[in-house]
Amino acid sequence: MTVKTLLSEDRLPTRWYNIVADMPEGSLKPPLDPATGEPVGPDALASIFPMSIIMQEVSGERHIDIPDEVREVYKLWRPTPLIRAMRLEKELDTPAQIFFKYEGVSPAGSHKPNTSVPQAFYNREAGIKRIATETGAGQWGSAMALATQMFGLECTVYMVRISYDQKPYRRSMMQVWGADVLASPTDRTNSGRAILEQDPESLGSLGIAISEASEDAATHDDCNYSLGSVLNHVLMHQTVIGEECRLQMEMAGVYPDVVIGCIGGGSNYAGLAFPFMRDKLAGSREIEFIAAEPAACPTVTKGSYTYDYGDTLCSTPLFMMHTLGHDFIPPGIHAGGLRYHAMAPLISALVDLGHMRAVAYGQTEIFDAGIMFARAEGIIPAPESCHAIKAAIDAAVECRDRGEGKIILFNLSGHGHFDMSAYDQYLSGNLSDYAYPEEKIKESMSRIPKMG
Ligand SMILES: *Cc1c(COP(=O)(O)O)cnc(C)c1O
């Protein structure tokens, strides 16, 4: 039996939820100007973001209306289904009920268009003609290519070199939606040239690509920058996931005891979790929140909660967040979307407050979980999402051992149709488990700025 809770289009949420309004007093530390050590004002970001986005970034309003034009584009794939994984429950012989919210039904195949679409919209409203952005494995670049196409903007994507070479179909997808895709580091920006000078064979990293894209935006008036995760406004746009999910769980007559997601920069998990975290912060519900990350890039489980740069070349303000050091370049795991060196300040603060915890998994065990899920539920998950599945399976097994019928909810952030080479390596027994990169982390942590 398949239990699928669908929501009609007319019940698509009309507002995003801004958790900043409900965070405990003093729990959020402001971004700092690295030169002065003083909090940065909204104007500091005006050369790369439209004012409407900056105002959302610093907003303390609990709810922000979703513009009608954005809702119209959302309707291409939203509301997304909430599915009860009954076959997986049976396979695990668990008394727990496992629900997942499936974000892989968007045209780009992940949750990322939930924010690329409003970001493109607000930039067009501000008269911007082109968006420059970075992409790792290609999911964010394709989400932004889709969104700029919907709103008639141009799009330049700085794609991390190693993914550019290894993921040709993601590149084609972006090109189909009209984007100009460059292998980063490029020789078009000062940041790119500086890296190439040190290492002409550089495989690139997300941090380097961010430096390039933001430099492009800062040096061209009609071009803005756009970030696919980490920042407050991005996490807020993603709450359309959790707002929908609350309605669907109500329709199904259940409420989650455990809420799980994978974390790269933290946006898909925040999107599902924050509308439920609201109840926990208000003291009206006891919920366990578990965020799953790769052992090869263990930002929250092994990083420090401190001020650091968002990019490799130190061009961003300093953010208070969990970090492995801004120049940490993680091993080339297949879950490319989870290779960022730091974590969203909002997720970091909630972990620091003890409202959420993180777990780290190796590459082989997450593919074990992903294959088990695909065989039970049919959907082939993205390697990133496999981390959430692994955590959900662990929680369900714990319920079996303790005889607890908990309600487990996780976010299935995307499908894995563009990651079949990773599955191929797994199935042929050629997948390597990277060791926890302790020495490299120690080294990069020694270069974190001393602040705050
Ligand atoms: C990008 C991506 C992630 C990680 O990013 P978050 O900001 O942590 O959500 C997870 N899953 C998929 C499918 C992705 O594309």
Side-chain angles (χ1 to χ4, degrees):
M1 189 171 68
T2 298
V3 177
K4 198 165 167 182
T5 307
L6 298 171
L7 202 62
S8 64
E9 232 180 65
D10 58 1
R11 297 193 70 193
L12 179 68
T14 55
R15 308 185 297 182
W16 292 300
Y17 168 58
N18 181 17
I19 199 171
V20 171
D22 294 322
M23 291 294 283
E25 192 80 31
S27 61
L28 287 177
K29 307 279 183 290
L32 301 180
D33 181 331
T36 63
E38 294 296 315
V40 293
D43 290 343
L45 298 170
S47 69
I48 58 170
F49 291 118
M51 203 37 83
S52 45
I53 295 261
I54 295 172
M55 293 327 282
Q56 290 185 356
E57 184 60 27
V58 299
S59 172
E61 293 274 312
R62 184 166 287 108
H63 295 284
I64 292 184
D65 288 340
I66 305 175
D68 286 343
E69 276 187 77
V70 170
R71 287 182 84 234
E72 283 310 309
V73 179
Y74 275 175
K75 284 179 187 171
L76 288 175
W77 72 94
R78 306 210 71 87
T80 63
L82 174 71
I83 300 170
R84 181 167 166 201
M86 295 188 79
R87 290 180 183 83
L88 181 64
E89 289 169 16
K90 195 154 172 250
E91 180 73 24
L92 295 169
D93 192 25
T94 178
Q97 295 181 31
I98 307 173
F99 289 82
F100 65 93
K101 181 78 167 150
Y102 185 39
E103 290 295 306
V105 293
S106 81
S110 77
H111 66 287
K112 291 199 169 75
N114 295 331
T115 185
S116 66
V117 168
Q119 291 194 50
F121 168 80
Y122 290 119
N123 275 289
R124 192 208 60 191
E125 291 295 283
I128 291 297
K129 299 282 184 276
R130 181 170 67 93
I131 298 286
T133 195
E134 74 288 336
T135 198
Q139 289 108 325
W140 172 242
S142 46
M144 188 41 85
L146 167 77
T148 47
Q149 188 56 229
M150 293 287 150
F151 290 106
L153 302 177
E154 290 169 48
C155 184
T156 307
V157 181
Y158 293 83
M159 185 172 190
V160 177
R161 158 69 68 184
I162 188 167
S163 307
Y164 185 91
D165 295 335
Q166 286 178 353
K167 311 242 166 166
Y169 296 138
R170 278 276 172 201
R171 194 207 313 161
S172 311
M173 205 169 166
M174 292 183 256
Q175 289 163 338
V176 165
W177 283 320
D180 190 14
V181 187
L182 309 171
S184 164
T186 73
D187 59 6
R188 290 205 192 179
T189 64
N190 288 331
S191 320
R193 285 188 291 269
I195 297 287
L196 289 174
E197 216 161 89
Q198 284 171 18
D199 177 10
E201 306 295 310
S202 170
L203 296 178
S205 72
L206 214 48
I208 295 169
I210 292 174
S211 301
E212 287 208 276
S214 52
E215 181 184 327
D216 185 347
T219 51
H220 295 93
D221 278 350
D222 62 350
C223 177
N224 264 345
Y225 171 69
S226 170
L227 197 65
S229 189
V230 180
L231 296 180
N232 296 354
H233 68 274
V234 179
L235 274 55
M236 186 190 72
H237 295 156
Q238 292 293 351
T239 60
V240 67
I241 303 172
E243 289 296 325
E244 269 178 29
C245 192
R246 282 182 68 102
L247 292 173
Q248 287 166 311
M249 294 211 94
E250 222 171 83
M251 285 164 71
V254 288
Y255 189 92
D257 298 301
V258 189
V259 178
I260 292 171
C262 66
I263 46 168
S267 73
N268 87 85
Y269 183 49
L272 177 71
F274 285 2
F276 293 101
M277 182 63 84
R278 177 169 64 209
D279 294 347
K280 184 166 181 172
L281 290 174
S284 60
R285 290 281 188 169
E286 256 316 306
I287 313 169
E288 194 182 355
F289 289 91
I290 307 171
E293 65 181 8
C297 186
T299 313
V300 177
T301 50
K302 303 280 190 189
S304 303
Y305 184 47
T306 183
Y307 272 106
D308 196 10
Y309 294 98
D311 73 329
T312 307
L313 286 122
C314 312
S315 50
T316 69
L318 297 170
F319 294 94
M320 185 69 178
M321 57 190 176
H322 284 87
T323 177
L324 296 168
H326 55 271
D327 58 3
F328 173 71
I329 298 182
I333 51 167
H334 288 288
L338 307 185
R339 287 180 72 228
Y340 186 57
H341 70 270
M343 188 48 56
L346 281 169
I347 294 275
S348 295
L350 286 163
V351 170
D352 189 59
L353 288 166
H355 290 315
M356 231 179 220
R357 67 186 169 90
V359 290
Y361 296 120
Q363 196 161 231
T364 313
E365 56 185 343
I366 65 105
F367 275 100
D368 288 340
I371 296 264
M372 183 186 213
F373 180 80
R375 289 181 180 168
E377 299 297 325
I379 297 168
I380 300 177
E384 291 84 359
S385 315
C386 290
H387 290 74
I389 294 171
K390 168 68 179 152
I393 289 176
D394 281 2
V397 167
E398 201 181 292
C399 284
R400 178 183 67 203
D401 296 345
R402 295 185 184 170
E404 291 174 342
K406 285 185 181 170
I407 310 286
I408 298 169
L409 170 66
F410 74 90
N411 203 20
L412 188 57
S413 52
H415 68 62
H417 300 177
F418 290 93
D419 300 284
M420 294 319 294
S421 62
Y423 278 95
D424 190 47
Q425 282 186 24
Y426 171 88
L427 294 168
S428 58
N430 291 324
L431 198 74
S432 42
D433 253 327
Y434 291 97
Y436 157 53
E438 190 171 359
E439 280 310 308
K440 278 178 69 185
I441 292 174
K442 234 188 231 160
E443 227 185 278
S444 60
M445 294 291 266
S446 70
R447 291 186 291 270
I448 283 182
K450 308 274 174 284
M451 284 269 174

